[in-house]
Amino acid sequence: MTRAGIVTVAGFPNAGKSTLLNRLVGEKLAITSSKPQSTRHRIVGLRTEGDAQMVILDTPGLLEPKDTLHSAMRNAALTAVRDADVLVHVVDATGRIPESFQSAAQLEHAPRAHIVLALNKADLLTPGQRDELVTRHPDAVFIAAATGEGIDALVTAITERLPISPYLYPDDDISTQPVRFFCAEFVRETALEQLGDELPHALACEIDEFREGSSPLYIRAVLHVERESQKRIVIGSNGQQIKKLGKSAREKIERFVGQPVYLDLWVKVLPNWRKNRSAVLRLGYGDPVTRG
């Protein structure tokens, strides 16, 4: 008898959702950053172990939309919540703990999924803080996604709540998304690491060309920004910044695909793309318009 189902990982920005997805899958699929709102897509990871398969959905952080991009991100998160068989509500244990996922997400109705409260960053708690949280949230699972603490207990809690079902995907797959998607995300992650606090939110990465079978693997990637001044920052003096960014991103992609890569990196201005529904859709962030 096997179990399989959709496990949606949701919560506020910077709670550690992407780190948890990577830990559960055992592979770096979702980019991680100290900057909030780094996850924009619904990232799909697969974990198959023993008699259980989890289709894990990492989601953008729950936030109040400030522009068209934010609306698309919230829609992506809430769609994943609706699809879930098990909902892992990830909360930073060192901060405020919401009363419920329903209140945190500002939903009219509670999700249909089984909810597991995962209190992340538990390794940063004092014994007294931990005891207090155990009293207040006796059913919570204490984890540290960055170190692996508590992950076995979380896996057990999720597995017990999965529906009885045959596997939904081959047991050696780790994602349902194409390699080119992750290549674009690694480029954007590198930009988050290397550029200033404000600029990364105006960045989007699009793969223009991906030559499968070429050696080295040829990838033409375009970083979109909103203004000419931002383009100059990304390129840098005498092109030094984009060379540095490209080198680091290429090394990440090579580790992921397991072969040499030629990364041809460009920068283009797409004015105010975060407020433009057509641009948000074109860049793969989903529809900002909520549908019933």
Side-chain angles (χ1 to χ4, degrees):
M1 184 177 66
T2 59
R3 295 177 179 270
I6 296 174
V7 179
T8 293
V9 178
F12 289 133
N14 275 23
K17 300 180 299 298
S18 297
T19 303
L20 177 58
L21 170 74
N22 293 339
R23 174 69 63 178
L24 289 171
V25 175
E27 182 80 38
K28 183 179 173 63
L29 295 180
I31 69 174
T32 55
S33 172
S34 60
K35 298 180 175 68
Q37 303 164 32
S38 57
T39 299
R40 292 175 177 171
H41 299 272
R42 182 168 82 168
I43 313 289
V44 184
L46 301 174
R47 177 191 174 105
T48 305
E49 185 177 61
D51 60 358
Q53 183 178 76
M54 304 177 190
V55 182
I56 307 165
L57 309 182
D58 179 27
T59 60
L62 299 170
L63 45 75
E64 278 296 315
K66 295 181 180 178
D67 55 34
T68 305
L69 173 62
H70 283 170
S71 295
M73 290 163 60
R74 180 171 173 83
N75 280 354
L78 295 183
T79 298
V81 168
R82 288 194 294 270
D83 291 344
D85 295 299
V86 179
L87 174 63
V88 180
H89 182 196
V90 183
V91 177
D92 182 345
T94 65
R96 184 182 67 84
I97 313 298
E99 291 183 10
S100 67
F101 181 82
Q102 182 179 349
S103 64
Q106 300 180 33
L107 301 177
E108 290 185 11
H109 306 286
R112 69 170 182 85
H114 299 285
I115 299 177
V116 177
L117 176 61
L119 297 183
N120 192 26
K121 307 180 186 179
D123 54 325
L124 304 180
L125 298 172
T126 65
Q129 290 171 326
R130 190 174 186 123
D131 289 344
E132 182 180 349
L133 286 173
V134 168
T135 301
R136 289 168 49 199
H137 303 280
D139 296 327
V141 181
F142 288 78
I143 65 169
T147 66
E149 176 188 336
I151 296 301
D152 288 346
L154 178 62
V155 167
T156 298
I158 295 170
T159 301
E160 290 172 348
R161 292 164 174 80
L162 287 175
I164 295 172
S165 165
Y167 290 166
L168 304 175
Y169 295 94
D171 60 10
D172 56 350
D173 285 2
I174 62 168
S175 181
T176 63
Q177 288 160 303
V179 171
R180 61 190 296 156
F181 167 81
F182 295 107
C183 294
E185 286 290 271
F186 289 139
V187 173
R188 191 167 65 85
E189 179 183 54
T190 306
L192 285 168
E193 293 168 349
Q194 294 188 5
L195 300 172
D197 287 341
E198 186 61 31
L199 180 57
H201 298 299
L203 282 166
C205 185
E206 186 176 32
I207 303 298
D208 257 9
E209 190 173 352
F210 188 91
R211 296 181 193 165
E212 292 188 73
S214 64
S215 184
L217 174 63
Y218 176 83
I219 301 171
R220 185 177 190 271
V222 178
L223 276 169
H224 294 286
V225 294
E226 295 185 312
R227 298 190 299 273
E228 284 291 339
S229 59
Q230 294 170 342
K231 180 178 178 179
R232 290 193 292 271
I233 292 171
V234 177
I235 294 173
S237 177
N238 298 316
Q240 291 303 304
Q241 177 59 64
I242 196 169
K243 288 179 184 176
K244 179 184 175 186
L245 198 161
K247 179 177 183 295
S248 181
R250 174 180 56 78
E251 290 171 350
K252 291 181 183 181
I253 295 170
E254 287 179 336
R255 286 194 294 271
F256 185 73
V257 301
Q259 68 179 95
V261 169
Y262 182 90
L263 179 61
D264 191 7
L265 191 56
W266 296 74
V267 187
K268 293 183 179 180
V269 177
L270 189 59
N272 297 315
W273 69 263
R274 286 179 292 176
K275 298 180 180 179
N276 185 300
R277 179 171 179 260
S278 296
V280 168
L281 284 168
R282 169 191 154 185
L283 294 169
Y285 293 122
D287 198 335
V289 177
T290 302
R291 304 187 185 279

